[in-house]
Amino acid sequence: MTSADGGDAASDDPADGPAADTAGRDLPDGVSLPTDLETVRSALLSWYREDHRSFPWRETADPYAILVSEVMSQQTQLSRVEDAWHAFLERWPDAAALAAADRADVVGFWTEHSLGYNNRAKYLHEAARQVTEGEVTAVGDDTALEPGEFPTDPEGLQELQGVGPYTANAVASFAFNDGDAVVDTNVKRVLYRAFDVPDDDAAFEAAASALMPAGESRDWNNAIMELGGVACEQTPSCDEAGCPWRGWCSAYRTGDFTAPDVPTQPPYEGSRRQKRARALEALREHGPQPLDSLGPRVRVDYAPESDGDGSREWLRGLLSDLEDDGLVTIDGETVALQR
């Protein structure tokens, strides 16, 4: 699945183990998700649908084009993938064209564009041949699909040469909206920080599956990877990116932004993000309160009548930003969490 920030996507190379099937599994010990899951889901999907980065493979539901993008993007920066993807599709626009190509030409293209292991080019060429010649079967029976027809679900797509669980899930999600929840480095970071999911593969997979709404794998998987790529990076940009999960996020509340791939704390102490988090935590703990009661809970040097940082006007500005983000409400001199 094409990683939101490039280079962090999971891989289907043999060294990578298959993702576990967590459909219907109860949450394991240590995993607890918000009780208002519908609101959590709606917040992320709305955030993604309103504004997200544009990649050409997000604008198509063609399984061949999506498969090409996924194979290219395995541990390869997206800035390099995009130009190569366009050139590849211009030269071999569909599975039949690729299957008819000389394999040496496909490998040569791969090398010319610095796309990593040449075996991926060989596997992609073979997968195109399998599809073109109708050598894959429908899931649930042994009936061969029509020549040129792609399987539509992760299990069927894994019949294609070199296509493992991760890539199969990507194509099923983005081409057919029939995939499972993605779990890659970005998603693990999001779940660890937002919901205190333990650093354990089974825990991550169970939490990701429980969060994903039924019938929404295309947008959901894109959205949660986008969240990890533009808001919950290793050094987070929670406020700048308008993260839709700040109201639930444990890291945003506590200021601890470590993660499985972030063993040391990113810059935070004294930041505006820290002050915003303190305001939300104080409102959560003490309920609605006047500005001048909240101020000392946000910063110990609060001086309401002063000018600049730490003043009442500074606090109004901080809270106004939170209000604009839909996290608090301000009624005169009283502020409360948005419900």
Side-chain angles (χ1 to χ4, degrees), residues 29-93:
D29 291 344
V31 177
S32 178
L33 297 176
T35 56
D36 53 342
L37 276 183
E38 287 305 316
T39 306
V40 172
R41 292 164 176 154
S42 177
L44 179 60
L45 288 172
S46 295
W47 173 82
Y48 173 75
R49 288 166 177 164
E50 287 170 8
D51 185 31
H52 60 261
R53 293 172 300 170
S54 177
F55 295 117
W57 42 85
R58 284 182 174 173
E59 310 304 321
T60 181
D62 176 5
Y64 169 73
I66 291 169
L67 176 62
V68 172
S69 77
E70 292 299 328
V71 174
M72 283 186 173
S73 66
Q74 290 175 10
Q75 300 169 340
T76 303
Q77 292 294 324
L78 295 187
S79 57
R80 193 158 73 243
V81 170
E82 191 164 350
D83 289 343
W85 183 80
H86 282 296
F88 192 95
L89 293 183
E90 183 176 347
R91 186 168 180 180
W92 300 296

Side-chain angles (χ1 to χ4, degrees), residues 37-266:
L37 276 183
E38 287 305 316
T39 306
V40 172
R41 292 164 176 154
S42 177
L44 179 60
L45 288 172
S46 295
W47 173 82
Y48 173 75
R49 288 166 177 164
E50 287 170 8
D51 185 31
H52 60 261
R53 293 172 300 170
S54 177
F55 295 117
W57 42 85
R58 284 182 174 173
E59 310 304 321
T60 181
D62 176 5
Y64 169 73
I66 291 169
L67 176 62
V68 172
S69 77
E70 292 299 328
V71 174
M72 283 186 173
S73 66
Q74 290 175 10
Q75 300 169 340
T76 303
Q77 292 294 324
L78 295 187
S79 57
R80 193 158 73 243
V81 170
E82 191 164 350
D83 289 343
W85 183 80
H86 282 296
F88 192 95
L89 293 183
E90 183 176 347
R91 186 168 180 180
W92 300 296
D94 53 33
L98 181 59
D102 189 305
R103 181 168 294 181
D105 290 339
V106 182
V107 172
F109 179 99
W110 216 258
T111 302
E112 178 185 345
H113 289 81
S114 303
L115 292 170
Y117 298 115
N118 288 342
N119 276 346
R120 294 173 185 163
K122 296 177 183 178
Y123 294 154
L124 187 58
H125 182 264
E126 176 61 17
R129 187 197 65 77
Q130 289 175 273
V131 169
T132 300
E133 297 184 9
E135 290 188 3
V136 287
T137 58
V139 171
D141 58 43
D142 294 327
T143 305
L145 297 175
E146 292 295 321
E149 185 178 359
F150 272 80
T152 61
D153 64 279
E155 183 180 349
L157 285 158
Q158 286 182 67
E159 292 189 29
L160 299 177
Q161 181 73 33
V163 175
Y166 191 88
T167 298
N169 189 41
V171 177
S173 292
F174 302 143
F176 305 109
N177 199 30
D178 190 26
D180 301 318
V182 61
V183 179
D184 69 356
T185 301
N186 285 325
V187 174
K188 289 179 179 180
R189 188 186 318 119
V190 169
L191 298 179
Y192 185 92
R193 287 172 171 171
F195 307 123
D196 288 325
V197 176
D199 186 8
D200 173 80
D201 286 346
F204 285 129
E205 289 161 1
S209 295
L211 279 165
M212 188 178 77
E216 293 279 12
S217 65
R218 176 184 289 124
D219 278 2
W220 180 265
N221 284 332
N222 269 321
I224 198 166
M225 288 193 299
E226 183 85 350
L227 189 66
V230 305
C232 199
E233 314 106 311
Q234 291 187 328
T235 299
S237 304
C238 318
D239 300 325
E240 297 87 341
C243 174
W245 281 355
R246 284 169 292 176
W248 296 275
C249 181
S250 174
Y252 192 83
R253 183 172 66 253
T254 64
D256 181 0
F257 285 91
T258 54
D261 63 331
V262 188
T264 59
Q265 173 72 355

